Amino acid sequence: MISDRKLQHLEICKNYDVEHHITTGFEDINLVHRSLPEVDFEEIDTSIELLGKKLDSPLIISAITGGHTESKRINENLAIATENTNIAMGVGSQRAGISNPELKDTFTIVRESAPHAVIIGNIGAPQVEYAPKAIEMLETDMLAIHLNPLQEIIQPEGDINAKGYVEHIKEICDSTNIPIIAKETGAGISMDDARILEKIGVDAIDIQGVGGTSWAAVETYRADNPHLGNLFWDWGITTAVSTIEVLESTNLPVISSGGIRNGLEAAKAIALGADCVGMALPFLKHAYMGHTYIEEKINQFTRELKTAMFLVGASNIDELKEKKLIITGKTREILNELEIDTKKYTRRI
């Protein structure tokens, strides 16, 4: 059953090592320190506008859960924290709540607990018929279409027929009246796929690259034979590289996610050009304790981000996007192989 699988996913993510063995690549992205920052820390503005919605911080609690009775309490705590801090929140795949009415409240608790917050719904690429119901269920502000071919191929009961994804996503884009976000689930998005997604009408891309939670790893713990999952544990594009690939190939808003764990890494992603960042696993572990713990984590993130902004002389997010960067190491090597000019990031004024 889908519900049982959702509970297994929660327990595995909470109790086992599910992160990639390789990093996001943000250790190769270096902000340039300013000894004369000429900003007042107390006046630094971290607010952004994402797809027409104003947020106090460029932070999204990425899709975590829903679809099992245990997830109701988690989503409630996440939603209350989201409401109290005016950030955005995504929910897990809504298929379980649509196909099983008894599980609907594990999702609807989000809107009940966060009546004014920006809530991002979630369905899979083949689930065209679920889109209207997913939007109605949560009065969603945006709808994410998750892309998870790696998870599906490792998952014991996975759907391994990926034919028609492009047409399905285009149909959802054409038939809905709210912004659509194409969202990977831990393997990153390439330049070629980003161009296709922009062409068929998505409004933003959440890259969710390698460096954070590996869903191949999660499914490895559920598989009878762990060989395949272990082999593909680190498959994909690192978050730093994927962020740049999508920025270089489209004009769409970009959500950088996948292993981002603090405000400094977020500052690096935004300085590259991302509009905001997503985090999931750190909030899951706080969500079991209550919404105040989540809010403390959010406030800590914001202070870390503002500190980085202070040290590079950025008084707001737009100014942070214009700051110089130095790209080194393996990330630079990969980008050079992709014929992406890294030097332009050091030429910014």
Side-chain angles (χ1 to χ4, degrees):
M1 291 178 60
I2 295 175
S3 178
D4 293 336
R5 186 166 74 240
K6 299 301 181 185
L7 179 59
Q8 290 174 345
H9 287 163
L10 283 174
E11 292 178 341
I12 290 169
C13 289
K14 181 186 176 185
N15 299 313
Y16 293 86
D17 171 26
V18 295
E19 297 194 69
H20 293 104
H21 299 140
I22 58 178
T23 65
T24 61
F26 279 114
E27 69 277 8
D28 296 331
I29 309 296
N30 301 284
L31 294 161
V32 178
H33 174 68
R34 295 295 305 275
S35 297
L36 301 169
E38 289 292 322
V39 295
D40 182 344
F41 181 86
E42 299 300 332
E43 295 178 355
I44 291 176
D45 180 8
T46 61
S47 67
I48 65 163
E49 185 174 297
L50 177 66
L51 299 173
K53 298 294 183 179
K54 186 77 175 288
L55 304 172
D56 285 351
S57 176
L59 173 63
I60 296 173
I61 298 179
S62 294
I64 294 179
T65 191
H68 188 279
T69 53
E70 177 70 15
S71 64
K72 181 176 180 179
R73 174 170 58 96
I74 295 171
N75 272 342
E76 181 178 19
N77 287 332
L78 292 168
I80 293 171
T82 299
E83 178 82 4
N84 290 343
T85 56
N86 192 32
I87 61 170
M89 171 187 169
V91 298
S93 174
Q94 292 174 256
R95 181 173 65 162
I98 294 171
S99 59
N100 187 345
E102 293 180 359
L103 298 172
K104 183 177 179 180
D105 66 346
T106 68
F107 293 98
T108 56
I109 189 65
V110 171
R111 182 52 82 191
E112 292 168 11
S113 302
H116 306 103
V118 174
I119 303 300
I120 304 170
N122 188 345
I123 59 172
Q127 297 160 10
V128 177
E129 71 277 12
Y130 288 170
K133 294 178 181 178
I135 294 169
E136 180 184 6
M137 181 188 293
L138 294 176
E139 300 176 19
T140 58
D141 300 281
M142 307 162 192
L143 180 65
I145 302 174
H146 66 258
L147 311 171
N148 62 340
L150 175 60
Q151 181 186 7
E152 295 286 3
I153 197 67
I154 305 299
Q155 188 177 96
E157 64 277 61
D159 179 1
I160 56 175
N161 180 6
K163 285 186 175 181
Y165 273 21
V166 172
E167 187 57 38
H168 292 321
I169 296 169
K170 184 178 186 302
E171 185 175 346
I172 294 170
C173 292
D174 291 343
S175 62
T176 55
N177 58 4
I178 64 171
I180 301 298
I181 302 171
K183 172 188 181 304
E184 238 292 343
T185 54
I189 290 179
S190 69
M191 297 178 73
D192 291 341
D193 285 339
R195 291 190 183 105
I196 292 171
L197 289 167
E198 182 176 39
K199 184 177 180 180
I200 61 176
V202 305
D203 299 287
I205 293 177
D206 183 345
I207 62 102
Q208 205 160 114
V210 168
T213 301
S214 164
W215 280 94
V218 175
E219 296 299 346
T220 297
Y221 291 106
R222 300 183 60 245
D224 292 332
N225 185 342
H227 170 74
L228 199 62
N230 283 324
L231 183 64
F232 288 90
W233 189 296
D234 292 325
W235 175 272
I237 308 167
T238 65
T239 298
V241 170
S242 183
T243 298
I244 295 171
E245 284 200 56
V246 177
L247 287 165
E248 290 284 326
S249 56
T250 77
N251 294 310
L252 296 175
V254 173
I255 302 166
S256 182
S257 63
I260 290 177
R261 296 292 180 256
N262 55 60
L264 175 56
E265 291 171 341
K268 293 180 179 182
I270 293 167
L272 285 172
D275 293 85
C276 59
V277 301
M279 293 171 58
L281 189 62
F283 291 118
L284 170 62
K285 296 180 177 180
H286 284 73
Y288 282 94
M289 298 184 289
H291 69 89
T292 57
Y293 291 90
I294 303 168
E295 290 169 36
E296 288 175 6
K297 182 71 175 175
I298 294 168
N299 292 333
Q300 176 184 312
F301 167 92
T302 301
R303 183 166 183 83
E304 293 165 349
L305 173 61
K306 288 180 66 176
T307 299
M309 293 172 69
F310 176 76
L311 293 173
V312 299
S315 62
N316 56 53
I317 297 299
D318 286 339
E319 289 182 8
L320 178 58
K321 286 186 176 184
E322 299 302 321
K323 293 302 175 181
K324 291 182 179 180
L325 292 167
I326 298 173
I327 304 176
T328 63
K330 189 173 182 64
T331 298
R332 182 172 183 172
E333 292 176 12
I334 295 170
L335 294 172
N336 285 340
E337 287 297 316
L338 293 170
E339 299 184 347
I340 294 174
D341 181 14
T342 58
K343 292 183 179 180
K344 69 180 183 180
Y345 293 96
T346 68
R347 301 191 191 111
R348 292 172 175 170
I349 298 175

